[in-house]
Amino acid sequence: MDPITQNVNANIEEYINSLAAECLQAQGIVNLTQEQKDAFAASVQEYLSQAALEVLVNRLNSEQLSQIENLDPASDEMMEKIQQLAAQVPGLADEMEKRFRSDVEYIKQNSKVPQG
Amino acid sequence: MAVEDPILKLADEARRAVAPSGENVFKRGLNKLGNLAGGVGRKAGGALGGVGNAAGGARDMAGNMVGGVGHGLGAGARAVGDGTVGVLGGVAHLGIEGAKLPFKGAGKGVELAKKLGTEAVIGKAGDVLKNVPAFGKSIAGFATGKIGEVGAGMASRELAKGVLAWTATTAGIGTGITGTWVGGAFVGAMGGAMIEWGRQINQNLKESDPSIAGRRAAFLLKFKELRHAGVLKPRDLKKIRNAAIFGAIAGAGAGALVQFVPEIAQFVGEHSGFLTGTGDTAGAAAGTTADALGGVGGSIGNAAGGIGEGIGGVWSGTGEAIGGIAGGAGEMTQGVRDMAGNLPGVKGTGDVLGGIGNAAGNVWSGTGEVAGGALARTGETIGGATQTTGDFARSLPMGQGAADTLGGVGGAIGGGLGQAGEAIGNAAQAVGLGGAQEAAQQAGQETAQGAAEQAAGEAGNTGLSETVQAAADEANSTAALDASNAAVGEAVQQTGQETVQQVGQEALEEAGQEVAQGTEPIANTMVHGHEVAGSVVDQSLTYDGAPWVLLENGTKNIGNVLEAAGIDGALEAVDKGVLAQNLQQATNLWTQGQLTPSAYPDLYTLFHLSNGTASVYNDLLNEDTVDILKKLKVLK
């Protein structure tokens, strides 16, 4: 992985971790045991990962979607395509963040991860 | 060629300035252009720095960063010459004019490019359209990378904003660079391409396809099922998430290009005067530097009473700091070069972007190297000159002399920095001399020899005389010493003193110190913390209890002198008895702090020849030393 990608990925990890940490401050979560908190944080992170993919896919047009529909989800080619397509969607970063903020607020208010 | 269009006239003038032979650099191919740009990169530093500043003004965060580089490069430009700045200002102005064109219509840019003989650029520009996403990713990837490097650790919104700001600035810089070298043709084509790309992706956004909703849901469901089944691991999902966010940020960066290119071009166009004002910026920087050096000169003068290593240490640290700054600037320019270097990675655009990338990369690299090298050299010069002068000062006979010598530091610094501007050197010298004179008064009648020995003693040197002699030797071997000596002479004349030696002698007489002439053995004597005892004559001389084989070393080293002078029968010519007597006398004088080059030049030479390290021989292996040895009757 090139240094730039590594650096960006580190920033993204830090950002997502900060969102999960924010969720742990929810009223119904803050008093859980550390083990329970760790499990909750992991579920928040996984949910936000799915949310990122969902925001992207819902912005792809037919031709773009066809480029990834039949790829192995865990393949490097999928990662590459996802990245390339995400770069082609105007305003996607802003939309993703709105979605993340919305999800975090929901989790903080309801002390649970939305059912996906 | 016939020049009617004012823009083309500027281009022609600029081209002739860069290639005085009249060779059309635009027709030599983009790779050749890249090499040329690299070669001229040093001169372009000021103009590019100005562009960086102008663009930086448009976007605060990135602007500040690039602005800092711009200031540094501006100072470098001043050293190269104001005339160059003026020429490049004209070239950059041409680029700005060219950069404006695509926003009036890309076709105008193409037309201009064709006039300038850059068909190759235009011929490939269409390929950019096909690869814009990758291009955008490259740009934004670089941008996010840089932002990450400055430790922002931002949340996505801030990160995205940072990307926009940085990319906008990058676009501004790119406008300046590419505009400068291809007369706006590249920017014209690229700007048109980017706008077209923006139009296309917006068209995609509006696409309405009801059937796609089911396909999207199925795709997402597949991920959830695979994750639920454990086929997809959390790390896989993270990778996908990161790829999506990375791409989104990259898209934001690319979008920013589309959004801001016109704005930046407009801004730069409106502030094109800034480019020709780069010399002013550099001048201001030089003025600031001169002020700083003036202060430093005063500090050096005031520190003259202390004489020595403290000053050298401070200056060494300063040199390192300057070197560090240069390194930082180099890294930043390297980062820009990396960005440019990424451009040709897109298949199909190599011919276009490769040449421009090379050109931009070489320009920045060359500029970075010049700035870094100049700063590093300045640091080294300052550190070296001051260290040497500090060491030398310790070996001088009088505090007055040492102070005057330190006054000469201003001259030495002025010489070292003369490359960066004569005015700087003059300012430093003037202030340095003033401070030195003041310090000289403070130094009073304290001898430099005593100070040197004290410094050596404090440093825990076991070979005191070696330390002093080595300092003098090192000082003698440097150009800084020459400058210092010149300054000493000047300072002495200013104060009505004929020579430093006279000052030293007078001071000695005033102090009522009698010159010891004896050759008796030395009783146990503490010389700045070190015990010296015994006799050279019967070879019982010790230093801190260990044998001090002055006579043996002296005989051997005199042999070396004679051999170097081409005198046969070297060792047989040495009268060891006379040598021992002379060395005994010199050692006695040394223990009493009276063995100075001004008071006892011959014994001083003999003593240090006999006790010196290998480096001492280099300056003593000559017929002058032979004459001294004959004068002392050491040679039969």
Side-chain angles (χ1 to χ4, degrees):
Chain A
M1 188 181 296
D2 63 275
I4 288 177
T5 303
Q6 273 186 329
N7 204 352
V8 174
N9 280 342
N11 283 346
I12 293 171
E13 290 285 350
E14 186 178 342
Y15 171 57
I16 297 295
N17 288 341
S18 72
L19 294 179
E22 190 178 341
C23 292
L24 291 178
Q25 302 306 313
Q27 194 171 7
I29 305 300
V30 70
N31 292 323
L32 294 179
T33 65
Q34 189 57 47
E35 188 176 347
Q36 290 170 320
K37 284 182 179 178
D38 290 344
F40 186 76
S43 67
V44 170
Q45 292 203 9
E46 181 156 340
Y47 178 79
L48 293 178
S49 296
Q50 290 175 344
L53 181 63
E54 189 176 316
V55 171
L56 168 64
V57 170
N58 284 333
R59 287 290 304 275
L60 298 180
N61 62 30
S62 177
E63 188 278 328
Q64 290 168 327
L65 184 59
S66 66
Q67 294 182 40
I68 56 174
E69 267 180 314
N70 298 314
L71 294 179
D72 176 0
S75 66
D76 289 341
E77 189 178 4
M78 174 67 86
M79 308 300 165
E80 184 68 24
K81 275 292 179 185
I82 288 285
Q83 195 176 86
Q84 193 174 47
L85 291 173
Q88 297 179 47
V89 178
L92 185 63
D94 191 46
E95 190 171 334
M96 276 188 181
E97 194 198 16
K98 285 178 181 173
R99 169 66 185 268
F100 290 156
R101 289 306 323 165
S102 171
D103 287 340
V104 167
E105 290 305 317
Y106 175 89
I107 293 169
K108 286 166 65 179
Q109 286 181 10
N110 298 282
S111 298
K112 65 177 183 180
V113 176
Q115 295 299 312
Chain B
M1 69 181 173
V3 177
E4 294 179 356
D5 186 318
I7 293 176
L8 294 182
K9 185 177 180 182
L10 268 174
D12 192 48
E13 290 173 354
R15 177 176 61 77
R16 290 179 187 280
V18 173
S21 65
E23 184 180 8
N24 188 339
V25 298
F26 297 107
K27 289 185 175 178
R28 294 170 64 184
L30 288 174
N31 286 333
K32 192 69 177 176
L33 179 61
N35 292 334
L36 178 66
V40 185
R42 299 182 177 196
K43 298 177 181 178
L48 295 178
V51 175
N53 266 344
R59 293 292 176 268
D60 291 339
M61 185 184 73
N64 287 338
M65 296 170 65
V66 178
V69 176
H71 277 293
L73 299 180
R78 180 65 165 225
V80 173
D82 291 345
T84 307
V85 174
V87 171
L88 288 166
V91 177
H93 178 71
L94 166 69
I96 291 162
E97 291 301 318
K100 286 180 179 177
L101 293 177
F103 314 113
K104 297 175 182 175
K108 190 71 179 294
V110 171
E111 181 184 343
L112 176 61
K114 285 181 176 176
K115 286 182 181 177
L116 293 174
T118 53
E119 291 87 349
V121 175
I122 303 306
K124 292 289 183 181
D127 290 343
V128 174
L129 273 175
K130 301 175 185 175
N131 298 283
V132 156
F135 168 70
K137 172 187 168 185
S138 177
I139 292 287
F142 162 76
T144 52
K146 295 307 290 182
I147 289 170
E149 284 175 19
V150 301
M154 303 168 182
S156 67
R157 178 175 291 277
E158 283 70 24
L159 187 60
K161 285 178 181 174
V163 169
L164 296 181
W166 180 271
T167 309
T169 303
T170 303
I173 295 171
T175 301
I177 295 172
T178 55
T180 294
W181 290 109
V182 298
F186 174 77
V187 174
M190 181 59 78
M194 296 300 289
I195 290 173
E196 175 60 17
W197 175 63
R199 189 190 65 75
Q200 286 188 354
I201 57 179
N202 279 298
Q203 185 63 31
N204 287 345
L205 184 63
K206 295 174 183 175
E207 179 179 332
S208 176
D209 180 4
S211 69
I212 197 175
R215 289 166 59 197
R216 287 169 174 159
F219 181 81
L220 292 170
L221 182 61
K222 179 169 69 176
F223 270 81
K224 289 180 182 176
E225 288 175 347
L226 290 173
R227 175 71 191 97
H228 184 69
V231 176
L232 268 181
K233 306 297 183 189
R235 65 173 179 273
D236 297 324
L237 208 54
K238 276 189 179 180
K239 285 182 181 176
I240 293 170
R241 176 200 70 195
N242 288 357
I245 295 176
F246 188 117
I249 294 171
L257 275 179
V258 178
Q259 179 181 349
F260 287 110
V261 162
E263 183 180 336
I264 292 297
Q266 180 68 25
F267 178 87
V268 174
E270 290 172 355
H271 294 79
S272 58
F274 185 89
L275 294 172
T276 51
T278 302
D280 294 337
T281 303
T288 302
T289 306
D291 290 344
L293 286 172
V296 170
S299 298
I300 291 173
N302 291 332
I307 303 177
E309 294 177 356
I311 300 173
V314 169
W315 278 105
S316 294
T318 304
E320 289 176 6
I322 294 174
I325 293 169
E331 287 178 8
M332 184 164 287
T333 52
Q334 183 62 41
V336 176
R337 185 181 185 183
D338 290 344
M339 175 209 69
N342 281 337
L343 299 183
V346 179
K347 184 180 179 183
T349 60
D351 289 342
V352 182
L353 299 175
I356 299 300
N358 283 339
N362 285 337
V363 168
W364 279 99
S365 177
T367 306
E369 287 170 7
V370 169
L375 288 171
R377 282 196 299 279
T378 302
E380 289 171 5
T381 300
I382 293 173
T386 310
Q387 179 68 56
T388 299
T389 308
D391 288 342
F392 177 66
R394 287 186 296 151
S395 71
L396 289 181
M398 289 295 298
Q400 176 70 46
D404 287 341
T405 299
L406 283 170
V409 170
I413 294 173
L417 292 177
Q419 296 170 357
E422 187 176 353
I424 297 175
N426 290 338
Q429 186 176 30
V431 181
L433 285 172
Q437 289 170 2
E438 180 182 345
Q441 296 173 354
Q442 296 175 0
Q445 298 302 312
E446 183 176 330
T447 67
Q449 176 69 22
E453 291 173 358
Q454 181 179 356
E458 290 171 356
N461 291 334
T462 55
L464 174 58
S465 57
E466 291 184 8
T467 304
V468 176
Q469 180 59 30
D473 180 54
E474 183 179 355
N476 274 319
S477 65
T478 65
L481 176 59
D482 294 335
S484 298
N485 284 334
V488 168
E490 184 179 347
V492 168
Q493 287 177 2
Q494 289 174 356
T495 56
Q497 296 165 339
E498 293 182 6
T499 66
V500 172
Q501 287 190 1
Q502 285 183 350
V503 175
Q505 191 62 45
E506 289 169 5
L508 282 172
E509 292 171 357
E510 287 175 6
Q513 295 172 333
E514 294 182 0
V515 175
Q517 302 289 342
T519 58
E520 65 277 7
I522 301 167
N524 282 345
T525 302
M526 295 302 291
V527 183
H528 297 293
H530 298 279
E531 187 179 74
V532 178
S535 167
V536 178
V537 176
D538 63 10
Q539 302 189 47
S540 63
L541 188 66
T542 60
Y543 185 93
D544 281 344
W548 189 2
V549 288
L550 209 50
L551 182 60
E552 181 182 335
N553 279 346
T555 304
K556 181 180 66 177
N557 295 347
I558 289 170
N560 292 335
V561 172
L562 296 175
E563 185 178 353
I567 300 174
D568 296 330
L571 290 178
E572 290 75 10
V574 176
D575 186 331
K576 284 193 175 180
V578 175
L579 173 61
Q581 291 293 326
N582 278 294
L583 283 174
Q584 183 68 59
Q585 183 182 355
T587 307
N588 284 345
L589 291 167
W590 174 75
T591 61
Q592 297 165 32
Q594 296 179 18
L595 184 64
T596 65
S598 57
Y600 300 97
D602 296 340
L603 287 177
Y604 181 87
T605 298
L606 179 67
F607 181 79
H608 289 294
L609 172 67
S610 301
N611 186 52
T613 60
S615 63
V616 175
Y617 306 152
N618 296 330
D619 287 339
L620 295 180
L621 293 174
N622 52 52
E623 293 187 353
D624 290 343
T625 306
V626 173
D627 291 341
I628 290 174
L629 293 171
K630 288 179 178 175
K631 187 176 171 186
L632 291 172
K633 302 187 186 309
V634 170
L635 292 180
K636 294 175 183 175

